[in-house]
Amino acid sequence: MFLTSTPTPRGDSGAPDQPGVAESRVRFLTADVPAPRTVRDPILASWRRSHQLHVAADKIEMSYDDDLQLDTRLTRSAEPVLRSLRNQLEGQSVSVILTDPTGLVLRRLTGDGELERHLDRVLLAPGFSYAEEFVGTNGIGTALEIGGPAHVFGHEHYAEHLEDLACAGVPIHHPISGRLVGAVDLTCWRRDAGALLLTLAKTTAEQIRQALLTDASSHEMGLFQEYLRTCSRRTGVVFALSRDVVILNDYARTVLDVADQSTLIAQANETLTSGHHGTTTVQLPSGQTARLSCRPVGAGGELAGVVAHARLTPKSDQLLGVRGEAPRMPLPGLVGSSSPWLHVCHEVERVFRAGEWLALEGEPGTGKLALLRAVQLRRQPVGRFVVLESTGAHDDPGWLAAARTAIAGADTLVLRHADQLDDPTLRALAATLGDARTERDGPLWAAVTLEPGSARSALQQLMRLFPSTVEVPPLRLHLEDLELVVPLFLSRFSQSGRLVCSAETMRVLRRMSWPGNYAQVQETLREVVRHRRTGTIEPTDLPPAAHAVSRRVLSPLESMERDLIVRCLADAEGNKVRAARSLGMSRATIYRKIHEYGIVPPTS
């Protein structure tokens, strides 16, 4: 067949010396020591990854995924290309395979019955994933792992059941965003393989990329036409947003500063991500209020973007939770004026501008994720912001595959709670991120969040990829920012925007130590809004925990007792004797409990 060529010397362009590779593979699997100069570097690196992932070399077992997404932009664009190639290879023992970014096989076209049956036996079929973590070294998984073309011949496969095959895989990147969208693979019998196999795979991937470009152009044109129609019908701020493009009209660029633009784009981006649409009120950093309407635009059930229209109201002295000036926003969506908080915002933004990967260290609830999201919105508002949650990763066998997909498709990647990953996952993730930083086509900015004091060796291996560390201070070290934080949260929780805190309530809130930081503030205010949605929040409206200065962590039973005492004190207007009588305890006991729990009796 035409894929066969004259044997070539060992190297990246042809089939290696199979007997030597076979011996090296056996030695690697039994002693983890390959024979020198017999295994190509990319293959040896893949073997090591496969070994680290505990991939079985003597069997191929994986679960079937029956939730295939077969009607996507990738599959629609690729189908004519795959069928054309299949027709050209009619009667030849070659299979053309299309996968998603995780290595899940979506489409397989084979021109030979014997090869077709063999591929079924080794589960190289739609609904099964050929990511490295499932089958080890292979053309699909290895190409996706290294982010570039990969060819694997015979005994170079990690799994012995694949040693009669040769395959060449090439990742497919979106022509506009550069994000990884899938891979194309050509697989044939080892005896038929030659240098042209990889060349043909590269050509096929490029044809699919060009088809995607044509399809993307039509979607972008539809979005642009809807933007122009909106501009002709409406006055004020109009802009269009897709995952790759932002278009603002002249009025928006004239009347809105960068911070206001970023805030509106961020709100519209939530619509684009969630698929929900409608009208919402947005408080802008400049003090203006915007009524933002977003309308999704798409065709064939696929979302191309959103077109947004904003109606502005002038700056005013509206009640924002406490009376005064509009909150100062150092970054979109964030407030605070204390020196520690402004310093952290400046440092994270500086590291982002420099392109250095960042480790953000701080207690739970200090706003690490919100800070990273705000910086990305300021500096790269249309970039894809992807969050990898590490909590529970050890119970999810597909977490690492999902992580690789996220890394391949992100412009900004945040790995949350990196210190909660186990050592094998940390090492595998470090290898994947290291490859992405050096080999990815488009730029990637990555950050990890973790709690103070994490020092495991496997974590330190990952941290070597993140040369800068910024510490986010706990809220108790900049309590003055509560004056701005509380009104901001109330404006989000209260539909009317007319819920404010009295001066006495703010004093109570400033007196708390807030061990849960901003997350605890949000939960406290949510509880308040459940029973008071307009008017002025008084100390008696606060939950019982707000009236105690905790000296230690209370047990659930102690917390219940503390809350009961606080409520009885409130009912008794602070009279401890009356409260003790209603609780059925002595005056000495209630005094002791008040001191023990740090209760500050509420006043009416």
Side-chain angles (χ1 to χ4, degrees), residues 341 344 348 360-363 366-368 371 470-474 478:
W341 180 244
V344 167
V348 175
L360 208 55
E361 188 176 279
E363 296 177 4
T366 50
K368 300 185 288 294
L371 179 55
V470 174
E471 297 180 5
V472 181
H478 56 111

Side-chain angles (χ1 to χ4, degrees), residues 103-123:
L104 181 68
V105 177
L106 303 174
R107 195 81 169 88
R108 188 187 75 187
L109 300 172
T110 310
D112 176 75
E114 183 185 0
L115 179 62
E116 181 99 349
R117 289 187 292 273
H118 184 74
L119 296 183
D120 284 340
R121 286 194 294 270
V122 297
L123 304 183

